[in-house]
């Protein structure tokens, strides 16, 4: 995934609308006035969650559980398949 991905995302609180970029060894989530940089090595578990309680505005989410206990949820505003593509990319980069 080389293009920025339009997303909705949350990290334990407020909902943000912005962009996701995968940059070498990290994921960068950017929104107006907010940036979250997630080193790939800090991701303890990742999954795609389609349960109604976990969705963001009805969209399935990529759920990242970080080593420090923070849970980041990311929904694609473009294509649902972007989450699967992103999950595969993260698996490749982590290997």
């Amino acid at each position: 995934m080389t293009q920025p991905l339009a997303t909705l995302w949350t990290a334990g609180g407020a909902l943000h609308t912005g962009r996701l970029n995968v940059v070498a060894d990290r994921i960068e989530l950017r929104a107006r006035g907010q940036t979250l940089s997630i080193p790939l090595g800090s991701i303890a578990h990742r999954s795609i969650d389609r349960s109604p309680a976990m969705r963001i505005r009805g969209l399935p989410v990529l759920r990242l559980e970080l080593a420090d206990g923070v849970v980041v949820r990311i929904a694609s505003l473009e294509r649902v398949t972007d989450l699967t593509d992103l999950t595969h990319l993260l698996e490749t980069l982590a290997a």
Side-chain angles (χ1 to χ4, degrees):
M1 178 175 296
T2 58
Q3 298 290 330
L5 177 64
T7 61
L8 294 169
W9 59 275
T10 183
L15 178 64
H16 304 281
T17 302
R19 295 262 178 212
L20 177 147
N21 286 302
V22 178
V23 183
D25 61 345
R26 67 189 181 283
I27 295 172
E28 289 185 352
L29 292 163
R30 294 184 183 269
R32 185 170 298 178
Q34 183 77 23
T35 300
L36 178 63
S37 182
I38 304 170
L40 296 179
S42 72
I43 300 171
H45 181 74
R46 63 188 164 275
S47 61
I48 296 177
D49 197 335
R50 293 177 176 84
S51 68
M54 294 304 292
R55 289 176 177 252
I56 297 176
R57 294 190 183 159
L59 298 168
V61 299
L62 173 59
R63 186 173 189 270
L64 303 176
E65 295 177 33
L66 307 184
D68 63 3
V70 172
V71 173
V72 179
R73 295 182 306 133
I74 304 164
S76 172
L77 289 173
E78 296 178 25
R79 300 175 307 168
V80 174
T81 58
D82 287 333
L83 297 180
T84 303
D85 295 344
L86 181 56
T87 300
H88 290 287
L89 177 62
L90 294 176
E91 288 171 0
T92 301
L93 293 173

